[in-house]
Amino acid sequence: MIDTTQRIEPARLEALPEKVTDLVAELASSAANLGNRLHPLTAANLADVVRIMNSYYSNLIEGNNTRPRDIERALAGDLEADPARRNLQIEAASHVRVQAAIDQLARQGALPEPASVDFIRWLHREFYRDADPSMLVVTGAGRDFNMVPGEWRSRPEHDVAVGRHIPPASPRVDEFMRYLADRYQFNTMGMAGKVVCMAISHHRFNFIHPFPDGNGRVSRLMSHAMAWHAGIAAGGLWSISRGLARGLASRGEYNQMMDLADSVRESDLDGRGNLSQKALIAFISWFLEVALDQVRFMSGLFELEALSRRLRALARELLLPAEAEFLLDTVMQRGEIDRGEVPRVTGLPERSARRVLNALVQKGLLASTTPKGAVSLRFPASSLEILFPRLFPQI
Ligand SMILES: Nc1ncnc2c1ncn2[C@@H]1O[C@H](COP(=O)(O)OP(=O)(O)OP(=O)(O)O)[C@@H](O)[C@H]1O
Ligand SMILES: [Mg+2]
């Protein structure tokens, strides 16, 4: 096949197989239920945890195992002295920062077309905004150059291989990415089309591999933005990377399925494009099953009664008094409470009530945006193992 944009066809499916339609429907209804009983403020603070989780797994796929504690520190500007570990921390914090920007744009209804040239280049530029120059040096397989954030591969020395796959030659990337933007215009699609295109475009983007490095992470952020567009983001309460990193049954599935989707058409019964339609349908089904699995997992973690139980368990673990348990539970349900209300809510005299409140603030479980403002829940890294079992791998 010559190196024309037809290489990424089929980029859409003309008819959706029943299995795919069913998955879309299940995903839509599960996502609509995820966190729907939570107070919006509690949900918004849980989305902070989801962004750290997504960053953790998205970077883990690249081999960067920066733990939630170190991501949390990096977000607070506390970086390691060791340059290698520091750079990994910067990458992890950047992933959180870009996802927060996506979530905010989405909430404002201002999220751009997710496959557009400008948006994708912006994702890459933003992801590398805080990068140390050493993180932009691309070496190996005869390559040695400085990557410019937000710029496509363009010169022959930028050429890449991904596993067995040889992406388009660098001088052609711009044309391929314009074609990709044209094929995935979300504002022209219905809900099912958007969900299916979230899956297909994840592969087609990586098939083009438009940047010298950072494609995987940018594509996972693009998919997150597409989930918002499709109306299945559940306010940012789930994200794709944990599922991609873990697979349905084993860790290697992501690369295997990407490799499968690179397959060329087998026969006249395998669609009409350059790539296999059968492999594409297998990829879409896998991707949507992974998404559904994540939505269900997060629904279990964020279920109101279960969350309340684990908050209480955490307070006991931290040897806090029973009133602290009750206070956490109340804040979870009401989203926030004024500091002045704590005595009434806990039934404690003012000084004791203040002591309980201060203990929770000191543990990082309650916080306010202004010093005297109303407090709402926070989920510090130190609390994650008890509050959200299995969200991160045990070490
Ligand atoms: N056979 C394949 N065909 C197309 N894309 C693939 C294939 N195998 C893996 N990929 C994609 O390529 C990404 C790796 O590319 P690259 O190193 O540029 O991105 P990264 O963000 O630096 O790394 P990573 O994706 O591992 O975090 C993988 O994450 C995956 O999304
Ligand atoms: Mg890489």
Side-chain angles (χ1 to χ4, degrees), residues 58-235:
S58 187
N59 282 299
L60 184 67
I61 294 169
E62 163 80 350
N64 170 358
N65 192 355
T66 302
R67 305 288 308 176
R69 257 169 239 266
D70 297 315
I71 302 178
E72 188 178 76
R73 283 198 199 110
L75 287 168
D78 176 6
L79 297 170
E80 303 266 345
D82 173 65
R85 293 183 59 178
R86 179 188 176 96
N87 287 350
L88 295 176
Q89 257 185 315
I90 292 175
E91 277 191 346
S94 296
H95 204 291
V96 173
R97 178 169 48 72
V98 179
Q99 188 167 338
I102 293 172
D103 290 351
Q104 196 186 352
L105 284 169
R107 277 195 298 270
Q108 294 165 346
L111 202 56
E113 272 295 324
S116 65
V117 165
D118 286 349
F119 182 66
I120 291 173
R121 291 182 53 178
W122 175 80
L123 286 177
H124 196 259
R125 205 164 50 238
E126 280 295 300
F127 181 66
Y128 286 104
R129 195 176 76 193
D130 300 331
D132 184 81
S134 64
M135 294 157 72
L136 300 173
V137 180
V138 177
T139 53
R143 304 197 297 171
D144 187 4
F145 60 91
N146 294 317
M147 178 168 75
V148 182
E151 296 294 321
W152 306 141
R153 293 190 290 118
S154 58
R155 297 201 307 272
E157 65 263 35
H158 300 155
D159 282 357
V160 282
V162 199
R164 302 189 291 170
H165 168 62
I166 308 290
S170 300
R172 306 217 71 104
V173 165
D174 183 54
E175 190 188 336
F176 270 87
M177 292 308 286
R178 285 174 200 283
Y179 186 74
L180 184 100
D182 188 54
R183 293 297 272 141
Y184 300 114
Q185 290 180 48
F186 270 52
N187 64 6
T188 65
M189 297 178 199
M191 193 265 175
K194 289 176 186 171
V195 172
V196 171
C197 283
M198 169 184 75
I200 310 180
S201 64
H202 189 86
H203 174 265
R204 292 327 192 225
F205 174 98
N206 281 296
F207 184 90
I208 302 171
H209 230 67
F211 300 108
D213 197 10
N215 295 281
R217 280 147 317 159
V218 165
S219 71
R220 292 185 282 276
L221 289 162
M222 177 184 80
S223 299
H224 183 73
M226 288 181 175
W228 273 107
H229 271 281
I232 56 167

